[in-house]
């Protein structure tokens, strides 16, 4: 179920799909919205255009979404939730394989998920991600960052790897804001570095410098 991003009542999804056919309809609406946003920008996005390109009647679309803002709100929330679920799965895997864990390789995978989910994405999703950063609610993104920092700290405490420093609130605050802030800037600036191995390498080095014990830098 998509988490609602704070907004007016006109931005609320009308109902959530429970049957497989309805879920496919929602996915088609989301994919079509992302494609239009990528090719035509926000000014070219309308509910009529989404319905037409998706192959649905406008009435079908309105069963779920009262406006284009409602589609975008649900889409952004769904994508953010998907990223958080991937990160949770990665950390749970690390916590069950502590003896075989390569902390720097784990960190790279963690950062890669964030880059792909909150920055580069697939080609049709880059404009949607950029739109999300441009129109996001400060409280919503702050809460997401806070939850991520807390989840990383818990995971590091459970792993208790000798190459890693013990997490502190200050450490978690700085590392999450530094990494996500760089991804956000690259997305908003449409940087050609976004999605490159060079960009990923620098973020890994940045985070490793904050998380590793001095002897392991």
């Amino acid at each position: 179920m998509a988490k609602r991003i704070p907004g007016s009542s006109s931005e609320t999804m009308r109902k959530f799909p429970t049957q497989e056919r309805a879920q496919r309809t929602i996915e088609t609406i989301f994919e079509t919205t992302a494609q239009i946003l990528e090719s035509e920008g926000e000014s070219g996005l309308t509910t009529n255009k989404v319905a037409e390109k998706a192959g649905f009647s406008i009435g079908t679309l309105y069963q779920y979404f009262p406006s284009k803002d409602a589609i975008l709100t649900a889409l952004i929330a769904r994508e953010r939730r998907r990223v958080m679920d991937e990160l949770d799965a990665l950390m749970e895997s690390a916590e069950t394989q502590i003896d075989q864990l390569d902390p720097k390789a784990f960190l790279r995978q963690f950062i890669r998920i964030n880059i792909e989910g909150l920055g580069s994405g697939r080609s049709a999703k880059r404009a949607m991600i950029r739109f999300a950063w441009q129109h996001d609610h400060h409280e919503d993104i702050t809460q997401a960052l806070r939850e991520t920092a807390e989840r990383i700290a818990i995971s590091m405490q459970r792993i208790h790897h000798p190459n890693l420093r013990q997490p502190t609130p200050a450490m978690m605050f700085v590392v999450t804001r530094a990494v996500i802030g760089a991804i956000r800037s690259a997305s908003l600036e449409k940087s050609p570095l976004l999605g490159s191995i060079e960009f990923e390498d620098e973020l890994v080095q940045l985070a490793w410098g904050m998380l590793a014990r001095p002897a392991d830098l």
Side-chain angles (χ1 to χ4, degrees):
M1 182 179 294
K3 175 185 175 183
R4 183 181 171 226
I5 297 175
S8 68
S9 59
S10 65
E11 296 174 338
T12 306
M13 191 173 177
R14 281 190 166 131
K15 66 177 181 179
F16 296 99
T18 55
Q19 298 181 347
E20 184 178 349
R21 181 179 177 183
Q23 291 172 350
R24 288 198 303 269
T25 298
I26 295 297
E27 287 300 317
T28 302
I29 291 172
F30 283 162
E31 289 292 331
T32 303
T33 299
Q35 290 167 9
I36 295 172
L37 199 60
E38 179 70 25
S39 61
E40 303 181 41
E42 185 184 357
S43 61
L45 183 66
T46 65
T47 50
N48 283 321
K49 188 172 292 184
V50 172
E52 179 183 356
K53 287 185 176 292
F56 302 129
S57 69
I58 190 65
T60 297
L61 186 148
Y62 281 148
Q63 286 181 26
Y64 299 98
F65 303 103
S67 66
K68 72 174 186 180
D69 289 337
I71 302 174
L72 289 166
T73 296
L75 175 56
I76 291 167
R78 194 279 302 268
E79 288 298 306
R80 187 166 292 149
R81 184 69 264 163
R82 182 184 60 77
V83 172
M84 295 300 293
D85 288 344
E86 282 191 49
L87 294 176
D88 278 343
L90 178 66
M91 286 185 279
E92 287 175 6
S93 175
E95 290 166 12
T96 59
Q97 303 177 45
I98 296 175
D99 292 339
Q100 296 82 35
L101 181 66
D102 179 340
K104 199 165 187 179
F106 164 78
L107 177 61
R108 180 174 293 276
Q109 186 60 28
F110 187 93
I111 287 175
R112 184 172 294 168
I113 291 172
N114 275 287
I115 292 173
E116 292 175 352
L118 304 176
S120 59
R122 291 179 288 115
S123 59
K125 293 290 179 66
R126 288 199 179 199
M128 183 275 295
I129 293 169
R130 195 160 50 248
F131 175 90
W133 284 122
Q134 290 168 334
H135 295 79
D136 214 344
H137 295 268
H138 178 72
E139 290 183 3
D140 185 68
I141 191 64
T142 298
Q143 179 62 26
L145 285 169
R146 188 179 297 117
E147 290 175 3
T148 300
E150 290 173 354
R151 182 65 181 85
I152 296 171
I154 292 171
S155 187
M156 287 180 65
Q157 288 171 343
R158 289 174 178 170
I159 293 170
H160 197 61
H161 197 280
N163 298 122
L164 298 174
R165 298 165 57 199
Q166 283 301 297
T168 66
M171 181 201 306
M172 292 297 98
F173 183 96
V174 172
V175 73
T176 53
R177 272 60 173 186
V179 171
I180 301 303
I183 295 172
R184 177 182 184 275
S185 293
S187 175
L188 290 174
E189 294 173 28
K190 302 182 183 180
S191 172
L193 291 171
L194 191 59
S196 70
I197 189 63
E198 293 84 1
F199 184 70
E200 180 181 297
D201 285 345
E202 291 299 329
L203 284 181
V204 171
Q205 192 60 35
L206 172 70
W208 184 251
M210 298 178 186
L211 299 177
R213 292 185 183 278
D216 297 300
L217 295 177

